[in-house]
Amino acid sequence: MLPHDSAIKHVTGESVYVNDINIGDQMLYGHLVYSKHAHAKIKLINIKKALELDGVRSILSYKDIPGENQMGPVFHDEICLAEKEVSFIGQVILLIAAESKEIARLAEKLVEIEYDPLSAILDLETAIQKNNRLHPPRKIECGNIDTSFNTSDHFFWGTLKTGGQDHWYLETQSCLAVPGEGKEIKIYSSTQHPSETQAIVAEVLGIQKNEVEVEVRRMGGAFGGKETQANHYAAWSALLANATGRPVKLHLSRDEDQIITGKRHRTISNYKVGFGKDGKINALDIDLHLDAGSSSDLTMAILERAIFHVDNAYYIPNLRVIGNTWKTNLPSNTAMRGFGGPQGMAVIENIIDRIARFLRKDAFEIRKLNFYKQISENLTHYSQKVENNRLQLLYDQLIKSSDYLKRRNQINKFNQLTSFTKKGMAMTPVKFGISFTTSFLNQAGALVNIYKDGTVLVNHGGTEMGQGLHTKILQVASSELGISLEFIKVTATNTSKVPNTSATAASSGSDLNGMAVKNAIKKLKKRLAKVALKKWCIGTELISEVQFENNEVSLGSRPKLTIPFVDLINLAYLERTSLSATGYYKTPDIHFDKEKGKGNPFHYFAFGMAVSEVEVDTLTGFAKVIRTDILHDVGKSLNEGIDIGQIEGGFVQGMGWVTTEYLKYDEKGNLLNHSPDTYKIPTIQDIPKDFRVDILKNVPNPNTIKQSKAVGEPPFMLALSVWLAIKDAISAVGDHKVEPEFELPATNEVILKSIEKNQG
């Protein structure tokens, strides 16, 4: 099993991140002056004293932007620098470049800004009440929602609130801009989307894209927070570099990062569900509301994925979901792992839990009853067939391997004997669509160069953020060329080598870029095969028999005809054969009609299932995870070690969202917990004491790179098993006779309030 290609570099400190790059004494340090008001008119800005400070080289406002004052990635509703009004705390007004970060901070204190405060909308409820919409609502509907409730044995209404979440990547937002000749500028950015960063920088500088080169060696985590919002820091550092003619580095402190950046979207979901006496869901009507923050960013795409995933793993013949987006005076919310999927799935999983409690059954029975089936009951509410369905297989294996039934009986007995400690358990599945829901984004490019010594340099459009993408691409290249790993290097992602790339997001990094690299290598192998056949004095009709393996090239029907790979490369060079090839891939057979709400937006579905057991202290609200069993479908794994790491990491990050990561704002819109001592991400103490993670075996995925499946996002939603296990423990306080009032995240406070109400 090949370890992560940078594992040793990370441990030794050899890995280079943006903030590690120092290109000499000419480098300046960037600093941001941002609004301290959630909504206000800017009455006056005075930078005279700040400019007089020794070491300050430039202070820029929107008036100094040579191009467009805009950095909205989809909709142009997000300005680069505030003009006459600010709409959230953290909105950048001025840029400072100085000889040191300390001087820049001193300069900020000398800047005078006078505001005229305006009323602000700081929560989703107020935005809905004031009808402060971002965009028109979206709807997907199947069956006959109105008549289906009349044929249901039972129905109920409900509301679920889910909270936001900070990305809390280890490397905060960072960028280094280096001016070159003429209008040229090179951007070293911690971005998931180099091509979009290139475009935004070109727009704000008023230059062509071919003047802007963006390079990404690696990121210290991203989780969606650097898909669009890394563009901001690239634009700001580029503006300062352009104004000063010197390199400018911009690197945020943890507090600055949490105050300025957008989060996962908060939601309110109102629902009505109709179901039979057996628990089979007949009808579901959902109004889903997303807090977009101050501008669009990727909110509409996130909304789309949320409404795609309100079914999760369940066939619902009559379903209507209406998605709404609302503006608030908070930083623009953005992509985060799961991209709307968690918010959608939380609704249906809570509904299933409620149905089970209402019918006095175990929720795992209701889940099994409502699963998508292999042949019938396999059509989603947007009319895509759920093919290669692994749900029943996962269920059968996990119920057995987790010893679910025996443990459930033990938990029930434990709860009958204890007063102040209760245990709970829940099993939750995930069915997650893989592809960008915006169809044209499902494409990728690559550039593969072979040098005369037989070594290979692979360039592709994906970015490495710790998820092991470069390692998987390295393995793909090695397998396709039939040469050892030590002869291959995957280089930094660079817009001058592979243009017009999509973001490394939507769990599609390996799927798209792996196939693009394979395509490039296929071209090279065809050229090299012709050279080998010519050497062996054999016609090209046998080209399909030429094999590349074990650092040699041979002919299948005549195994004695072999040539070392490196010798063939030298011969190909002498024969004037191109040893460089571009590769390209576009995902086949995906389409979606947004007006009709129908189509095939996903190439395939990834499946997973988890069983979590928790223990809750009913006096303090403290919950600990005793054991979690996960079985996940990754197709034919490209690298089991990396895939298991992604499953574990995604699950634990999901635990943070459903338990401890609560964003606390005051009445003025200030984020109060913007540091690691007050914002509680999961630590080693929170990981399940008994953590069992396994990969579903013998389930190759057709029509993907090496028959694999994406694994970055789907495991995140398995953490809903922890959330509902906590709810199960709370329910035990009232002997499961009362439906607990419950929210997400289930903080100590939420747990205690729910227990108090459950006790009557």
Side-chain angles (χ1 to χ4, degrees):
M1 191 183 301
L2 184 69
H4 192 291
D5 72 318
S6 293
I8 294 174
K9 297 185 183 76
H10 291 343
V11 172
T12 61
E14 187 182 350
S15 294
V16 176
Y17 295 90
V18 172
N19 199 39
D20 296 320
I21 302 171
N22 190 326
I23 56 175
D25 296 338
Q26 285 294 302
M27 189 174 74
L28 299 174
Y29 294 83
H31 185 65
L32 310 174
V33 179
Y34 58 82
S35 170
K36 306 302 189 293
H37 293 266
H39 193 200
K41 295 284 187 183
I42 299 174
K43 294 174 62 178
L44 178 146
I45 298 176
N46 187 344
I47 61 173
K48 185 177 179 181
K49 291 180 181 178
L51 280 172
E52 291 172 351
L53 183 65
D54 187 34
V56 172
R57 296 291 171 255
S58 184
I59 300 179
L60 305 179
S61 72
Y62 76 92
K63 297 176 182 178
D64 303 302
I65 297 176
E68 189 174 0
N69 185 21
Q70 185 57 239
M71 54 186 184
V74 181
F75 303 93
H76 273 193
D77 63 352
E78 188 171 7
I79 58 176
C80 183
L81 295 175
E83 296 184 5
K84 298 178 181 179
E85 186 176 314
V86 289
S87 55
F88 61 93
I89 291 173
Q91 183 169 9
V92 177
I93 302 169
L94 299 173
L95 308 173
I96 299 175
E99 296 291 343
S100 71
K101 191 72 173 177
E102 291 73 22
I103 293 172
R105 291 185 187 280
L106 287 173
E108 179 190 10
K109 294 178 181 179
L110 297 175
V111 171
E112 298 175 22
I113 303 179
E114 291 185 15
Y115 300 93
D116 185 6
L118 301 170
S119 62
I121 297 174
L122 300 172
D123 58 77
L124 191 48
E125 292 87 346
T126 304
I128 295 170
Q129 181 186 350
K130 294 190 174 183
N131 198 32
N132 198 38
R133 283 191 180 272
L134 178 72
H135 292 290
R138 292 281 307 278
K139 182 176 77 169
I140 296 180
E141 186 171 359
C142 69
N144 192 322
I145 192 69
D146 296 319
T147 60
S148 58
F149 279 110
N150 297 329
T151 60
S152 299
D153 296 317
H154 307 286
F155 59 86
F156 55 68
W157 292 264
T159 296
L160 176 67
K161 295 180 180 180
T162 69
Q165 185 182 22
D166 192 272
H167 302 83
W168 233 93
Y169 25 64
L170 287 178
E171 177 201 28
T172 56
Q173 296 282 1
S174 306
C175 186
L176 170 63
V178 183
E181 295 181 355
K183 298 178 181 179
E184 291 178 1
I185 190 165
K186 184 166 185 177
I187 306 293
Y188 296 92
S189 176
S190 185
T191 176
Q192 294 173 242
H193 199 344
S195 292
E196 188 175 82
T197 299
Q198 177 192 36
I200 296 295
V201 169
E203 286 178 15
V204 298
L205 292 182
I207 60 177
Q208 298 177 152
K209 289 182 183 178
N210 62 3
E211 303 279 9
V212 182
E213 179 185 352
V214 178
E215 181 168 302
V216 185
R217 173 71 267 183
R218 60 174 58 83
M219 287 165 274
F223 311 115
K226 297 175 181 177
E227 183 174 349
T228 58
Q229 298 209 349
N231 300 335
H232 305 177
Y233 308 92
W236 294 328
S237 59
L239 284 166
L240 288 169
N242 180 70
T244 60
R246 292 170 61 176
V248 175
K249 181 189 289 184
L250 186 58
H251 176 75
L252 298 192
S253 69
R254 177 63 61 188
D255 293 78
E256 289 170 336
D257 192 293
Q258 287 197 256
I259 290 169
I260 294 172
T261 59
K263 319 298 180 192
R264 183 186 296 282
H265 291 69
R266 297 184 291 186
T267 68
I268 297 174
S269 297
N270 302 311
Y271 59 84
K272 179 182 179 183
V273 61
F275 54 97
K277 294 176 182 178
D278 57 355
K280 190 74 175 288
I281 297 175
N282 182 43
L284 179 60
D285 196 1
I286 300 175
D287 276 323
L288 182 65
H289 303 273
L290 266 66
D291 177 359
S294 58
S295 60
S296 297
D297 197 275
L298 293 174
T299 290
M300 294 311 292
I302 291 162
L303 173 73
E304 189 169 67
R305 187 170 280 273
I307 63 179
F308 280 148
H309 284 84
V310 293
D311 60 328
N312 192 13
Y314 312 109
Y315 173 72
I316 304 171
N318 305 285
L319 191 158
R320 177 170 62 203
V321 55
I322 298 174
N324 305 273
T325 55
W326 305 92
K327 288 184 69 173
T328 56
N329 293 112
L330 294 172
S332 186
N333 288 320
T334 190
M336 189 169 182
R337 200 175 199 166
F339 203 79
Q343 295 96 314
M345 290 184 192
V347 181
I348 186 62
E349 290 303 330
N350 192 53
I351 288 170
I352 292 274
D353 188 76
R354 283 194 64 183
I355 292 172
R357 192 166 291 103
F358 177 84
L359 295 175
R360 304 286 288 174
K361 293 184 177 183
D362 194 308
F364 87 93
E365 297 178 39
I366 308 301
R367 290 189 167 88
K368 180 183 179 182
L369 180 68
N370 284 283
F371 279 158
Y372 281 102
K373 306 301 188 291
Q374 284 282 13
I375 301 173
S376 63
E377 300 186 351
N378 69 343
L379 201 66
T380 67
H381 52 298
Y382 46 90
S383 298
Q384 178 163 357
K385 286 185 178 180
V386 181
E387 298 179 307
N388 301 306
N389 186 346
R390 312 299 187 199
L391 289 168
Q392 191 63 47
L393 185 60
L394 286 163
Y395 176 88
D396 292 341
Q397 291 189 25
L398 190 61
I399 288 292
K400 184 178 180 180
S401 65
S402 68
D403 211 2
Y404 184 94
L405 297 175
K406 180 181 177 181
R407 289 166 60 202
R408 171 55 76 187
N409 288 330
Q410 292 173 341
I411 287 169
N412 290 342
K413 290 177 182 177
F414 175 89
N415 288 337
Q416 289 172 359
L417 299 173
T418 60
S419 299
F420 304 119
T421 303
K422 299 294 181 182
K423 288 185 177 180
M425 188 164 67
M427 182 209 76
T428 59
V430 63
K431 171 189 67 67
F432 193 78
I434 303 297
S435 290
F436 287 98
T437 55
T438 302
S439 297
F440 70 80
L441 294 175
N442 294 286
Q443 57 177 305
L447 172 65
V448 178
N449 299 329
I450 304 178
Y451 298 98
K452 288 193 292 180
D453 63 353
T455 60
V456 178
L457 189 67
V458 177
N459 307 267
H460 64 91
T463 56
E464 175 63 52
M465 59 193 92
Q467 84 279 37
L469 175 59
H470 285 350
T471 306
K472 288 185 173 182
I473 295 296
L474 185 68
Q475 290 180 272
V476 168
S478 173
S479 173
E480 292 299 315
L481 280 171
I483 63 175
S484 301
L485 294 164
E486 60 263 29
F487 299 121
I488 305 171
K489 180 177 181 179
V490 179
T491 191
T493 311
N494 191 296
T495 54
S496 68
K497 296 176 180 177
V498 181
N500 308 318
T501 57
S502 296
T504 305
S507 303
S508 64
S510 297
D511 282 5
L512 295 176
N513 295 287
M515 291 295 262
V517 168
K518 180 180 178 180
N519 177 250
I521 291 173
K522 181 180 179 181
K523 295 177 183 178
L524 288 166
K525 287 166 67 176
K526 186 175 181 180
R527 296 174 199 166
L528 293 170
K530 289 180 180 179
V531 174
L533 290 170
K534 182 179 178 181
K535 172 181 170 56
W536 297 326
C537 300
I538 296 173
T540 56
E541 66 274 5
L542 295 181
I543 195 168
S544 61
E545 291 190 23
V546 178
Q547 298 175 352
F548 292 72
E549 56 187 7
N550 300 321
N551 299 316
E552 290 187 336
V553 181
S554 61
L555 195 64
S557 58
R558 305 183 196 180
K560 291 185 179 181
L561 291 177
T562 65
I563 181 172
F565 181 81
V566 65
D567 291 350
L568 179 58
I569 296 305
N570 277 281
L571 181 59
Y573 174 75
L574 294 174
E575 291 281 343
R576 293 185 292 178
T577 303
S578 173
L579 296 174
S580 178
T582 59
Y584 181 76
Y585 174 75
K586 62 177 181 179
T587 309
D589 304 322
I590 52 173
H591 57 88
F592 185 72
D593 188 323
K594 292 187 178 184
E595 294 299 319
K596 296 180 180 178
K598 306 296 179 185
N600 276 31
F602 304 117
H603 188 34
Y604 61 87
F605 294 99
F607 302 92
M609 212 164 286
V611 172
S612 290
E613 180 182 349
V614 305
E615 185 176 284
V616 174
D617 185 327
T618 62
L619 299 178
T620 65
F622 178 74
K624 63 180 177 181
V625 185
I626 299 170
R627 174 176 166 182
T628 291
D629 297 65
I630 294 175
L631 185 59
H632 200 75
D633 165 33
V634 298
K636 188 176 181 180
S637 177
L638 286 172
N639 186 307
E640 287 196 5
I642 286 175
D643 285 347
I644 288 174
Q646 284 290 289
I647 294 166
E648 292 172 343
F651 176 83
V652 172
Q653 190 175 44
M655 280 179 53
W657 179 58
V658 304
T659 59
T660 61
E661 295 187 48
Y662 178 69
L663 295 163
K664 180 69 174 178
Y665 297 90
D666 67 12
E667 69 283 356
K668 294 182 179 180
N670 290 291
L671 178 63
L672 299 177
N673 53 339
H674 51 73
S675 60
D677 58 337
T678 52
Y679 184 79
K680 297 300 182 182
I681 64 171
T683 69
I684 194 168
Q685 296 297 322
D686 301 300
I687 295 171
K689 302 296 182 265
D690 186 352
F691 200 10
R692 309 184 188 193
V693 177
D694 203 1
I695 289 172
L696 191 65
K697 301 296 194 299
N698 303 314
V699 284
N701 190 33
N703 303 315
T704 56
I705 187 68
K706 302 292 182 183
Q707 299 179 305
S708 65
K709 276 191 177 182
V711 71
E713 291 172 291
F716 182 97
M717 282 70 79
L718 294 176
L720 289 168
S721 63
V722 172
W723 181 60
L724 290 175
I726 293 171
K727 187 181 178 186
D728 183 50
I730 294 169
S731 178
V733 173
D735 195 26
H736 302 291
K737 294 178 181 178
V738 179
E739 174 64 26
E741 289 188 21
F742 208 47
E743 292 184 5
L744 189 159
T747 61
N748 288 27
E749 183 180 9
V750 167
I751 291 170
L752 282 174
K753 286 182 176 179
S754 184
I755 289 171
E756 184 179 352
K757 291 180 180 178
N758 201 258
Q759 290 172 324

